[in-house]
Amino acid sequence: MFALVVRRFFQLLFLLLGISFLVFSSMYIAPGDPAAIIAGPTAAESDIEAIRDNLGLNEPFLAQYGRYLSNAVQGDLGYSYQTKQPVWEAIMIRFPNTLKLAIASMIVAVIIGIIAGLVSALRQNSLWDVSATTFALAGISIPNFWLGAVLILVFAVNLEWLPVGGLSSPWYTLDGVKELILPAITLGTASAAMIARMARSSMLEVIRADYVRTARAKGVKEGSVIWIHTLKNAMIPIITVIGLNFGFLLGGTIITEKVFAINGVGRLMIDAIAARDFPMVQGSVLLVAALFVIVNLAVDIIYTYIDPRISYD
Amino acid sequence: MKKLNKNWLVLFVLGFVVMLLAACGGSTIPEEAVTEASEEGVEAAEDVDQEIVYAATSDAVGLSPIMTNDSVSSNAISQIYETLFVRNPETMEIEPKLAESYETPDDKTWVIHLKEGITFQDGTPFNAEAVKYTFDKLRDPATAAPRASLLEPVESVNVIDENTVEIKTKYPYGPMLAALSHTNASIVSPTADQAQDLMQQPVGTGPFQFVEWTQGESLVLEDNPDYWGGAPELDKVTFKVVPEISTAISMLQTGEVDFIDGLPSDQIDRIRSLDNVEVLEKPGTPVYYLNFNFSKEMNQDPEFRKAVAAAINRDAFVENLNGLGVRSDSVIGPKVFGYTEEADNGGQAYDPELAKQLVEENGYGDQTIKMLVANRDNYMQMAEIAQAQLAEAGFDVAIETMEWGTFLDATAAGEYDLTFLGWSNVTGDGSELLYPNFHSDNIGASNRSQYSNPEFDELVNASRVTVDQDARKQALIEANQLLLDETATVVMNHGVVTAATADDVQGLKLDPNGQWFLENVTRE
């Protein structure tokens, strides 16, 4: 296990190096001048040139990248071109919101997804099954911006049960929980649908396995058959889907964050790209990539607990 | 199996009940709104919390007038800081603010007398030193200020005495007062600027002072009790970032925010229909126009430009804006210095028959015209309508959309045939519109049409290098008419600036350039 973690850590370093080069060069090649955007359309050429000089944008590509890298290695991700704020600080203001939202959405997704998947597997081809698969299809197909807007209109504007948007209260307070409900449902629905599909097919496979039949033949209680013999063994692909989804959610969710006015990493990233704020884009992409790798590592470790036959040593 | 089934059902119902309980746990109507409603008609206004929440579609870039040039920052900055002069939104005349009076002993010297006894929010006295410090910092190339060019004509700023400052210019500079009334020329506290980063911790002389800012989330200001103009009624002002305008409208409806601005024309009917919401609309300084790229041969043909102008029905377009546009041919709009009513119909009128005839005679339909459009504001709608009308006249127009940053680059480099541009005209001065956009000095930068006409340049120069305001106006009227005679551009509409507030918000001052001031706002 320890070897796995160490190996992954070194892989992560190389991965981050590669990503930083890719991001840096693609931002460099992409059209759009950060200085012109900072100056705005009303600025004169002299204003733009002064800003370009000030940001070091007139230096050659490798010099810029080299300087970025040497600072980054020392833990300095630089300053935002636009706001002059340290990149790390800007990310850390947003990340807790993204994390909250990702966790809340995963809770919604896992509860709904696994229940729907289980029910439809155990009652294959019943009305339950049809409703659950229909839900899964709808969940995957409905676009977030539409679902979010409808939830806001129904639950916030008309019923006035929940706030329209924002995440300003701590998550452990009632207000904090209420703020999370609509965005978590909006975001969790698609993941729930994916988990439900995976849970259903995986359960159907395991439930027909010989050892399940043997367990039933031996008179094991149905509850134990489902929970211990079937679900646990069906969990591997489900955990994979959960891990992937959680990794994606940690990368920030641009549309949901926008619709619900949540100050998250996704919005930070998209705004930074629009403003050609290179250091900010770079910093947030590196964070997201690192998180993705860490979540995958966690998933790999969880595998070994679910299925002791899996070993990385 | 039966038992399991029941367990599932119980679990499911339990989960549902928990969610429902969480959802119904309490009402989300802000407490103050409830108090307000229950006390309505019983108590006087003084019991109402004097607080306001404004929803901004993006966060402020920063809070230093020297280092920013975006509208959200400007709106925050103009509550915290003040300028030497302001343009009166009613009369459109420039009036002193932090200044007391001014004189121009010769046409390259401005002597400005400052109001006495004003202090910055950190206690630093406001005086000639502070003015010199601010302007020198804005002008200093090392500062790399986005709007350093505002004071480009300034040669030196000198302190005459505690309350008198003298500005020497390199050449006679007509729009000086307009430049000094620009938000980016707001006066900053020199002590604060040396001690801290004004982008994060601003200090000015304005009616509101900084409390805290969570970037991307919210900015909080409170009243400045020592404000020289008398402490404002509002105790607290919050700028809340709500990127999606329809979410902001929902928040206005539920009372989560009290005030939004820049209302889009496609949502204006929804906003007008809300019971608890007051909509403010007034003709403003922004102008939106179709831009020809003069570096392209086809656009150099005056008949071609005439055909394009004749093909586009601007009246129909403005009608589509649901009242959020003013129709006029004039490039210098009704709320901008240099405007004259005669220019309203001074350009090529809509004449589809003429357009068809010109296209047919000259074979304009044989080539595809590239119409480059930025994917923001109303530009897409503008482009689609224009494309349809141009096609009717026989033109072959292909729309290409671009994201803003790329668009700025591509248009500055002249990589298009036709495009749509807008200009917010913060200073409300025609020189500041015609010079950057159409003067040959700015080709390759803000003159995206690459229009170059020595006669026009001369008129614009004349409007800039004289301090005689009547002479300036006359030069601008002539320059404007020249653009219309040449069909150098086709004005689609002039902007209507808008805001929507909760109906108990009184006294909001909305400027024709879209900026607003909360100094006199009360909640009743």
Side-chain angles (χ1 to χ4, degrees), chain B residues 321-369:
Chain B
L321 296 176
N322 294 324
L324 297 190
V326 175
R327 167 80 183 95
S328 163
D329 286 342
S330 179
V331 182
I332 297 182
K335 287 288 166 186
V336 181
F337 179 79
Y339 164 79
T340 169
E341 254 175 52
E342 288 140 33
D344 278 346
N345 294 305
Q348 172 62 52
Y350 170 60
D351 185 345
E353 290 314 311
L354 175 71
K356 271 183 203 160
Q357 187 195 331
L358 287 171
V359 171
E360 217 161 283
E361 280 171 12
N362 300 296
Y364 294 142
D366 300 343
Q367 52 186 332
T368 305
I369 301 168

Side-chain angles (χ1 to χ4, degrees), chain B residues 44-56:
Chain B
E46 52 213 52
D47 282 357
V48 179
D49 278 343
Q50 293 297 325
E51 293 179 4
I52 196 166
V53 181
Y54 161 68

Side-chain angles (χ1 to χ4, degrees), chain B residues 422-445:
Chain B
W423 194 257
S424 56
N425 258 314
V426 177
T427 61
D429 189 298
S431 294
E432 294 293 292
L433 161 68
L434 300 188
Y435 179 70
N437 288 291
F438 299 101
H439 195 285
S440 62
D441 277 1
N442 295 308
I443 289 178

Side-chain angles (χ1 to χ4, degrees), chain A residues 39 47 85 123 164 259 263 276, chain B residues 5 69 149 215 247 256 406:
Chain A
D47 298 331
Q85 197 188 15
R123 294 268 178 280
V164 175
V259 170
N263 189 21
R276 304 293 184 279
Chain B
N5 223 344
N69 187 24
S149 55
Q215 292 196 346
T247 306
E256 278 171 67
T406 319

